[in-house]
Amino acid sequence: MESITESPSRFPHLDRMSVHELLVGINKEDAKVHLSIQRVIPQIENFIDKILERTPSGGRVFYIGAGTSGRLGVLDASEIPPTFGVSPGIIIGLIAGGDTALRNAVEAAEDDPEQAWKDLLAHSINRQDTVIGVAASGTTPYVIGGIQRARENGLLTGCITCNPGSMLAQVSEYPIEAVVGPEFVTGSTRLKSGTAQKLILNMISTTLMIKMGRVKGNKMINMQLTNKKLIDRGTRMIVDELQISKEKAREMLLKYGSVKKVLDALVLTK
């Protein structure tokens, strides 16, 4: 059976379309992504609930993928520490071919079904951890092999794919299948499929961080103060929370290093 992600585009003559027609066509296809994700929210919720059972015991989350899917996983994982002030080891992204593959295609890296497990072992993987396979097609050997070995060894496993009934979904305990249909450019899964995967990764990691106490109200009180914009944002948070002057808020923020530490210090001094 031909996979949906490889099926022909619904737009047969892209090379004859005007710039406006191309943009409208891409936008029209992208609009389908949100509906496809809405349909799988129950599956995403179930999976997150299972992950949260493991986090109090130090459970980590690993994303494994190749090509676009692998890059999206690494991107999401890399943004968690500065955004939520957690260790880089809480959510970890692994890509077939290693860091070189983030910028350049690594020939045949995704075709080795044993390599992902080797990559996971390098991080002292254990039964409290979760492994999420990210593959639009659901047929990538690197990802399938990694999920199979992880599940055999008692880890929690899930996947994000855009083909129904794929091998990856079959070997995962908690499959998430966001079926977005044929791509605008036939087989170019960096488009709708990639967008769907990124949105689902956002949902998983952001929800985990909120439920792990890394957000107060709707604010990123644990964010790292890595630039002026973030210092200004943190200052405004403290002003809003404590009703003090901007100058005093900034002074306290720079003294303690995060909004949360300022608020904790205030509680301790009361």
Side-chain angles (χ1 to χ4, degrees):
M1 184 177 70
E2 185 182 68
S3 67
I4 290 177
T5 54
E6 292 295 326
S7 57
S9 168
R10 295 190 177 96
F11 301 80
H13 301 296
L14 300 182
D15 53 344
R16 301 180 193 173
M17 294 171 71
S18 68
V19 170
H20 178 76
E21 289 170 332
L22 290 169
L23 296 177
V24 169
I26 292 171
N27 181 248
K28 182 178 179 181
E29 289 299 297
D30 284 345
K32 300 174 182 178
V33 173
H34 295 282
L35 182 58
S36 73
I37 294 175
Q38 187 180 62
R39 296 190 188 105
V40 296
I41 285 178
Q43 286 73 43
I44 301 171
E45 180 182 358
N46 270 351
F47 190 30
I48 291 174
D49 284 341
K50 292 298 180 181
I51 297 172
L52 286 170
E53 291 175 4
R54 294 167 176 244
T55 52
S57 303
R60 301 166 294 171
V61 175
F62 290 83
Y63 302 141
I64 57 172
T68 297
S69 299
R71 294 182 189 101
L72 289 170
V74 172
L75 171 63
D76 189 75
S78 69
E79 291 178 337
I80 299 308
T83 304
F84 298 104
V86 296
S87 161
I90 300 295
I91 298 181
I92 300 169
L94 301 177
I95 182 171
D99 287 352
T100 300
L102 291 173
R103 292 183 178 273
N104 303 283
V106 177
E107 187 174 353
E110 68 176 57
D111 295 332
D112 185 347
E114 299 299 324
Q115 188 58 49
W117 183 243
K118 295 175 184 176
D119 294 342
L120 289 165
L121 288 175
H123 290 270
S124 301
I125 198 88
N126 65 76
R127 285 173 175 257
Q128 293 304 315
D129 296 329
T130 299
V131 183
I132 304 176
V134 189
S137 66
T139 61
T140 308
Y142 175 86
V143 181
I144 293 171
I147 291 295
Q148 284 178 316
R149 293 297 297 276
R151 190 169 180 179
E152 288 167 4
N153 283 274
L155 283 79
L156 182 66
T157 61
C159 71
I160 304 170
T161 182
C162 298
N163 270 329
S166 68
M167 178 59 71
L168 177 58
Q170 291 175 39
V171 301
S172 301
E173 290 173 272
Y174 292 91
I176 299 166
E177 299 171 302
V179 182
V180 297
E183 296 289 358
F184 185 71
V185 177
T186 299
S188 182
T189 52
R190 57 179 284 275
L191 298 173
K192 286 190 298 183
S193 296
T195 300
Q197 290 173 321
K198 174 57 178 165
L199 291 175
I200 293 170
L201 289 167
N202 285 347
M203 293 167 80
I204 292 172
S205 59
T206 303
T207 301
L208 286 174
M209 290 298 107
I210 293 171
K211 299 307 289 183
M212 289 170 65
R214 308 306 295 183
V215 169
K216 178 178 173 60
N218 58 13
K219 296 180 175 64
M220 300 180 290
I221 59 169
N222 290 282
M223 66 184 180
Q224 295 176 3
L225 307 176
T226 54
N227 56 47
K228 183 179 182 299
K229 177 187 73 175
L230 297 180
I231 292 172
D232 289 345
R233 182 188 297 165
T235 299
R236 290 195 302 273
M237 289 182 192
I238 295 171
V239 169
D240 291 344
E241 193 72 25
L242 303 182
Q243 300 299 304
I244 60 177
S245 70
K246 183 176 179 181
E247 292 72 22
K248 180 62 176 177
R250 182 183 176 87
E251 177 187 328
M252 294 179 70
L253 179 63
L254 294 177
K255 175 182 177 181
Y256 289 100
S258 77
V259 176
K260 184 178 188 306
K261 289 178 180 178
V262 170
L263 300 181
D264 288 346
L266 182 70
V267 170
L268 291 173
T269 57
K270 281 188 174 180

